[in-house]
Each structure stands twice: as C-alpha cells, then as structure tokens.
Amino acid sequence: MILTAEISMYPLADNYLEPIHWFIKRLDNYPGIVRLTNAMATQVQGDYQEVMSMLACEMRAAHEQFGKAVFVCKFIGSELDLSHSE
C-alpha cells in the first residue's frame, strides 16, 4: 500500500531554519521514498511501512539533535500526484 504524507517541522528555537533544512536533507537518504518540498511543507510518498518508519526515525533524530520541535502531519493511504497544482 502506498502512503502519501505531508509534514511540517516547527523547531522551538531562534535559529529555526537550520533544523528544518537538516531534517529535509535527511529524508533524501531513503531511495524508495519520493520527497517534494515547497514553502509550506514537505510531502513524502512511498510504501506505507517505509514512510512511517522513516518519519518515526527522523522525527526522533531531530528531537535528539535539536530538542523541542513540533511536527504537524497529514496522511492519506493512497498515491497522489505530488506535482498537481491549480
């Protein structure tokens, strides 16, 4: 089953861009997962279990590396066209 997820990271720090860029860059280390980032959020898509495992691993790593951060996620259990825009 394919999972499409949208995730936004909100570090509770003055220098908030560094942790966001760090997190997004780490998502690129998963070759089976497609990532698309825009000004508001990052979308990821791939095998359901792989996406969920990646997010659990990388959110934990971000908390360990940078401390407090809020993650806001949306999930849909299907494949979406990430290039779609209106």
Side-chain angles (χ1 to χ4, degrees), residues 5-70:
E6 179 176 275
I7 184 165
S8 298
M9 179 184 184
Y10 301 96
L12 301 179
D14 290 337
N15 181 17
Y16 60 89
L17 288 178
E18 178 188 346
I20 293 170
H21 290 141
W22 179 90
F23 180 77
I24 292 169
K25 186 174 182 178
R26 288 178 61 98
L27 300 182
D28 290 334
N29 292 322
Y30 296 83
I33 296 175
V34 175
R35 178 194 59 84
L36 179 67
T37 299
N38 61 41
M40 295 290 294
T42 294
Q43 290 85 33
V44 292
Q45 188 174 80
D47 175 76
Y48 196 102
Q49 190 58 49
E50 288 181 41
V51 171
M52 293 301 285
S53 294
M54 175 196 70
L55 291 176
C57 178
E58 297 306 331
M59 287 189 295
R60 179 181 179 146
H63 285 130
E64 290 172 347
Q65 180 75 22
F66 297 103
K68 294 180 182 177
V70 175

